[in-house]
Amino acid sequence: EVQLVQSGAEVKKPGESLKISCTGSGYRFINNWIAWVRQMPGKGLEWMGIIYPGDSDARYSPSLQGQVTISADKSRNIVYLHWGSLKASDTAIYYCARRHSGASIDAFDIWGQGTMVTVSS
Amino acid sequence: DIQLTQSPSSLSASVGDRVIITCRASQSIRSSYLNWYQQKPGRAPKLLIYSTFALQSGVPSRFSGSGSGTDFTLTISSLQPEDFASYYCQQSDSGPPFTFGPGTKVEIK
């Protein structure tokens, strides 16, 4: 079964660092871009950034550039989302999603279950 | 960056109703790069329609997509109880960022 499994919920204080993960299985992991999508409480989906695990080429939404870092460990089929210093406004559910791109498709076809991050003093 | 708007932002409908959701882009999008997702409360989004028209495997035929250029629609021909959810359009034509629309919440009347 093709799936993405994310790490568990986190509760952190402002200023702390955090790295959450997304592990792929059931397909050739290095061949598909993986995106991160944020959903703040009661809000819609916000595209954050994307990485190609094969060479760790990462791209970011201009609005979030510099606030997070996306990395990959292709030997372990894992993609990470990292914050150096969390803010209360980072409280959200974070989803990873596989980009399936080809001749007739370019969409996010497999999604992780989501990781809830709560930042509160 | 391409911006997407959706209308309505929410709607109330009854089982059996025909529902139409519109997605408008700030610039033209090639049809292969406009997708729709369904998200139920507490669940991850799910790909519903890709490349404007194509149903993802397992998606019921009451869902359909259409459009071109800057205007796209998602139609549910006969709303079922399991269709009450939020729906998002998303573009992969120009980016990153591969933006999502703000969403449409379909509620029970």
Side-chain angles (χ1 to χ4, degrees):
Chain A
E1 180 191 4
V2 176
Q3 59 180 351
L4 297 173
V5 178
Q6 298 184 228
S7 51
E10 301 275 1
V11 179
K12 291 289 190 178
K13 291 181 168 28
E16 291 185 331
S17 65
L18 175 65
K19 183 184 276 190
I20 63 174
S21 67
C22 169
T23 303
S25 62
Y27 72 101
R28 189 164 169 78
F29 187 73
I30 61 171
N31 283 358
N32 292 79
W33 293 80
I34 298 288
W36 285 99
V37 176
R38 178 170 75 177
Q39 188 165 40
M40 299 174 79
K43 303 298 184 183
L45 304 175
E46 181 182 8
W47 191 90
M48 300 178 69
I50 198 167
I51 189 165
Y52 189 74
D55 61 6
S56 290
D57 180 10
R59 318 282 177 85
Y60 297 87
S61 171
S63 63
L64 290 167
Q65 182 91 39
Q67 298 184 37
V68 294
T69 302
I70 299 172
S71 61
D73 182 343
K74 64 182 179 182
S75 68
R76 299 172 62 203
N77 287 8
I78 303 177
V79 167
Y80 299 99
L81 180 63
H82 175 251
W83 293 262
S85 180
L86 286 159
K87 303 187 286 279
S89 57
D90 292 318
T91 294
I93 299 173
Y94 294 87
Y95 295 101
C96 61
R98 184 183 80 162
R99 180 186 183 191
H100 181 186
S101 60
S104 59
I105 183 171
D106 194 333
F108 298 108
D109 66 337
I110 303 295
W111 290 70
Q113 82 276 19
T115 295
M116 179 72 219
V117 173
T118 303
V119 184
S120 175
S121 55
Chain B
D1 298 352
I2 295 179
Q3 308 300 319
L4 299 176
T5 58
Q6 288 182 232
S7 60
S9 57
S10 66
L11 64 92
S12 294
S14 302
V15 172
D17 284 353
R18 180 181 181 89
V19 168
I20 298 174
I21 298 169
T22 297
C23 176
R24 178 161 288 173
S26 58
Q27 62 192 75
S28 185
I29 296 173
R30 290 170 288 177
S31 61
S32 294
Y33 298 98
L34 192 285
N35 310 304
W36 291 93
Y37 301 83
Q38 177 193 63
Q39 187 182 30
K40 297 182 180 179
R43 306 294 299 273
K46 167 187 152 181
L47 178 62
L48 205 62
I49 290 175
Y50 63 92
S51 303
T52 300
F53 312 100
L55 262 60
Q56 176 70 339
S57 175
V59 173
S61 59
R62 61 181 179 273
F63 290 93
S64 64
S66 64
S68 64
T70 59
D71 295 302
F72 299 86
T73 59
L74 170 68
T75 300
I76 309 172
S77 60
S78 177
L79 197 65
Q80 297 303 300
E82 60 268 30
D83 301 337
F84 292 96
S86 292
Y87 294 85
Y88 297 89
C89 58
Q90 178 260 327
Q91 67 83 22
S92 302
D93 190 353
S94 173
F98 299 121
T99 43
F100 289 92
T104 295
K105 186 173 184 179
V106 177
E107 298 175 304
I108 301 173
K109 183 182 282 185

